[in-house]
Amino acid sequence: MKKVKENAALGARVWGSIVIFGLIGQLAWVVENMYFNVYLFNEIGGTANDIAAMVAASAITAAVTTLFIGVLSDKLRRRKVFITFGYIIWGIITASFGFITVENTEKLFHTANAVSTAAALVIIMDCVMTFFGSTASDAAFNSWVTDVTDEKNRGRAEALMQAMPLLAIIIVFGVLDSFKQRGDWQTFFIIVGAATTAGGILGFFLLKDKPKIEANNDSYFKNIFYGFRPSTVRANKELYITFAAFCILNIAYQVFMPYIIIYLELSLGITDYAVPLGVILILAAAISVVCGRAIDKFGKVKFMIPSIIILIGGFVFMYFATGNNLALLITAGVIMMGAYLVTSAALSATIRDYTPKDKVGLFQGIRMVFQVLLPMVIGPYIGAAVISNNNATYEELGTVKHIPTSAIFLASAAVAFFAVIPSAVLYVMQKKKENADTPGTSA
């Protein structure tokens, strides 16, 4: 049998597109997932519960958008148009956030409670922005990546994509965080928005739809509900078990992530967090990329349980790390984030492997329910509950607020433990299938 050439299905244009659009999209998502929270908390005067509400509302918007647009992209057999126009509008809305202030809200609405009104505006605009972001990135771009990759290269592609959020964070911290430190939020949001819009314009020239996307001739609304049917779950057991594992993993991640900058600044007293976070993220991203080839070679499912166990250890390590010992903090952070990225890469690649080829866009919406909606609704509220029940407080303008402590990492560890269960089930199912397919081997 002729040996298939490695990376035969992917060329420089495809790899370049994965990097460019993955990175630009993640720059916008980093700002949405991390800096909107800080903006709402510090500049608008919101609380941890406001942050949790915003994260939940955004997650619901993302999941619903991805489901409807993903199915539509399947029907049209087009991804590029959604990516390009989605990125352009996504950037324009992101650029507008710096103009939502308590002062502007008070002038516009003449309200006695401008803080609450401004907080509500931020949450509403976050949902509008998320609609276009999820159209471009979650629904169309993720479907495009599944279209152009296969089982032989998805581990590497996913490992590269999992590194993009960390690279985006490094860029934001290294280039843009100084604007945030000075309180120049308008410039901060305008730069990120302009970069996102520029990505959409670039897409007109760089991106190409796969020539033969498999047709899906079912009705549009039938496909909307297809992924929620019990018969669909039974027919795709491995896919939904992988969804469950990813859901639990991301709940654990969302327990601490929305509050991480506030934790570093107010609990650990690290105001110049760009350098330690940059080191953590660079090393974690390197671990993810290096492990990508091994994931393809040795098997995606085999990586899940060991990496989850290491992740749990990383969470516990973070609990004991303090701002007085940066070396310990960085080591704990590298273990935690490196393990999270490797686990995510293995799970994401497995999801792509098990996704029916004629329903790629459809299942992006189902993926979002498990990967984003449920985690971002459940996780931040777990974190908020942990935060509100501690004695650490912070007073600003006469308002006393509870601030995050290291207990959020113990909560993350407790949640992550349950991800082992579906991962173990998936491993057993795969082994039985391998044994059944091997002549002379008992199942």
Side-chain angles (χ1 to χ4, degrees), residues 103-142:
E103 182 182 0
N104 288 343
T105 301
E106 193 171 21
K107 290 179 180 178
L108 183 63
F109 294 99
H110 306 289
T111 177
N113 196 345
V115 171
S116 296
T117 304
L121 276 175
V122 170
I123 293 171
I124 291 169
M125 286 301 295
D126 183 34
C127 290
V128 175
M129 186 220 69
T130 298
F131 170 80
F132 289 101
S134 291
T135 293
S137 179
D138 297 318
F141 178 66
N142 266 295

Side-chain angles (χ1 to χ4, degrees), residues 148-180:
V148 300
T149 59
D150 57 33
E151 290 84 352
K152 296 180 180 65
N153 48 45
R154 282 185 182 139
R156 276 161 288 169
E158 279 299 336
L160 184 62
M161 289 183 67
Q162 292 300 324
M164 291 298 106
L166 299 195
L167 182 56
I169 294 173
I170 293 168
I171 293 173
V172 172
F173 283 166
V175 178
L176 299 175
D177 192 70
S178 60
F179 293 101
K180 174 260 180 188

